[in-house]
């Protein structure tokens, strides 16, 4: 079981840390969000393994996002 706790002290009980992202990117259209998220995950693996990290993915409009940036309703955006 992993704890989603942003803490660099993994031996003190937590075992995941944020991979790093810019919150304003979630206001971009989904195609750009996916591309930037993949880049952030790849860049984060230089410092930690993928299983050590977590990222935030909003489902509704975030930071003034447009309808093209939202994932809700999920039934209409399963491929994304």
């Amino acid at each position: 079981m992993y704890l989603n706790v942003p803490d660099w002290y993994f031996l003190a009980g937590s075992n995941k840390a944020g991979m790093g992202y810019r919150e304003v990117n979630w206001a971009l259209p989904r195609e750009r969000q996916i591309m930037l998220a993949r880049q952030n995950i790849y860049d984060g693996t230089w410092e930690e393994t993928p299983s050590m990290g977590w990222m935030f993915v909003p489902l509704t409009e975030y930071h003034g996002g447009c309808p093209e940036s939202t994932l809700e309703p999920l039934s209409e955006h399963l491929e994304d």
Side-chain angles (χ1 to χ4, degrees):
M1 175 159 85
Y2 291 106
L3 301 172
N4 285 331
V5 180
D7 182 355
W8 285 104
Y9 303 101
F10 296 108
L11 298 177
S14 66
N15 47 16
K16 281 198 173 192
M19 296 293 274
Y21 55 87
R22 296 185 60 174
E23 291 196 5
V24 294
N25 287 348
W26 300 119
L28 298 170
R30 277 186 300 279
E31 296 80 22
R32 296 280 311 267
Q33 290 178 17
I34 292 169
M35 179 190 68
L36 291 169
R38 288 178 179 169
Q39 283 181 307
N40 288 334
I41 291 170
Y42 176 79
D43 291 344
T45 60
W46 289 100
E47 298 176 6
E48 54 195 32
T49 63
S51 63
M52 292 167 63
W54 60 273
M55 291 187 81
F56 171 72
V57 178
L59 301 178
T60 59
E61 285 187 20
Y62 195 73
H63 278 282
C66 56
E68 293 81 29
S69 68
T70 61
L71 290 172
E72 290 227 331
L74 292 174
S75 61
E76 296 178 11
H77 304 106
L78 292 176
E79 188 172 318
D80 295 327

